[in-house]
DNA sequence: GCCAACGTTGGC
DNA sequence: GCCAACGTTGGC
């Protein structure tokens, strides 16, 4: 079992929305390294931190679970989608998505500010300088440490 | 809105 | 393959 962190802009898909619909295709990843994590790393049952980015208080707000392995992201073929990619071919899709299911909200937001100063995390991908990936690996130790301060 | 830190594109 | 120009992310 692996652990991950997924970034979502709450304007697009918030933890409240995921709690309501219970399950969502995680579409819109348009970065090759992030796609490779989806494709090569994610397994059914992997646990995921749900992170709110590009908002007033960025931070981890909930937990979810991988419930479907990587498959072609349908939005790349949809001309009306913001994520349409005219260069991607149906017989050789460039972009993938997984499905995630809501697990629970955290009792409080563990903010980016707090994560930056939290000890015991070691080399944490989220707070690494310059990192902008929307899909990040989390070690088991980091997962436990972060949940311990909830 | 600003801007640092990337990633991508395309001319050469 | 190099690299300048451009686009994007996302904290602040």
């Amino acid at each position: 079992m692996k652990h991950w962190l997924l970034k979502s802009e709450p304007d697009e898909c918030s933890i409240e929305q995921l709690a309501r619909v219970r399950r969502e295709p995680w579409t819109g990843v348009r970065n090759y390294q992030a796609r490779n994590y989806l494709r090569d790393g994610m397994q059914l049952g992997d646990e995921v931190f749900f992170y709110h980015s590009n908002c007033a208080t960025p931070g981890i707000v909930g937990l979810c679970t991988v419930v479907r392995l990587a498959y072609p992201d349908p939005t790349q073929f949809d001309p009306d989608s913001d994520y349409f990619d005219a260069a991607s071919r149906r017989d050789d899709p460039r972009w993938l998505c997984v499905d995630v299911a809501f697990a629970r909200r955290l009792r409080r937001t563990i903010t980016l500010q707090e994560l930056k100063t939290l000890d015991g995390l070691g080399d944490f991908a989220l707070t690494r300088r310059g990192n902008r990936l929307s899909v990040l690996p989390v070690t088991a130790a980091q997962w436990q440490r972060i949940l311990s301060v909830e």
Side-chain angles (χ1 to χ4, degrees):
Chain A
M1 167 107 77
K2 295 184 181 175
H3 301 86
W4 306 92
L5 182 145
L6 292 177
K7 294 181 187 174
S8 182
E9 302 192 13
D11 287 348
E12 282 201 24
C13 178
S14 66
I15 190 69
E16 291 81 8
Q17 182 181 332
L18 185 64
R20 204 159 52 237
V21 302
R22 310 310 290 183
R23 175 180 174 137
E24 281 263 287
W26 199 267
T27 58
V29 169
R30 294 294 180 269
N31 171 283
Y32 287 104
Q33 193 180 345
R35 180 206 64 184
N36 293 348
Y37 282 137
L38 298 180
R39 184 188 63 195
D40 306 328
M42 283 200 183
Q43 302 166 328
L44 291 179
D46 280 1
E47 294 178 307
V48 177
F49 282 136
F50 193 102
Y51 177 92
H52 279 176
S53 68
N54 207 8
C55 58
T57 309
I60 298 168
V61 293
L63 308 181
C64 54
T65 307
V66 176
V67 292
R68 183 175 170 186
L69 294 175
Y71 61 99
D73 179 344
T75 64
Q76 70 196 301
F77 303 121
D78 177 3
D80 295 327
S81 169
D82 288 343
Y83 302 115
F84 178 63
D85 183 350
S88 184
R89 294 166 23 188
R90 285 186 183 274
D91 59 354
D92 186 21
R94 183 176 291 181
W95 305 113
L96 303 173
C97 60
V98 298
D99 287 358
V100 297
F102 176 79
R104 67 176 179 88
R105 299 184 59 157
L106 295 193
R107 289 188 284 278
R108 65 182 187 88
T109 299
I110 301 177
T111 65
L112 175 62
Q113 186 181 18
E114 182 176 357
L115 290 166
K116 282 179 173 172
T117 59
L118 188 60
D119 61 23
L121 288 183
D123 183 21
F124 186 38
L126 179 71
T127 51
R128 221 177 272 158
R129 182 181 143 96
N131 172 72
R132 297 172 310 155
L133 284 184
S134 59
V135 180
L136 297 170
V138 176
T139 68
Q142 288 163 350
W143 180 272
Q144 292 302 330
R145 175 69 183 121
I146 290 167
L147 281 183
S148 77
V149 299
E150 181 183 359

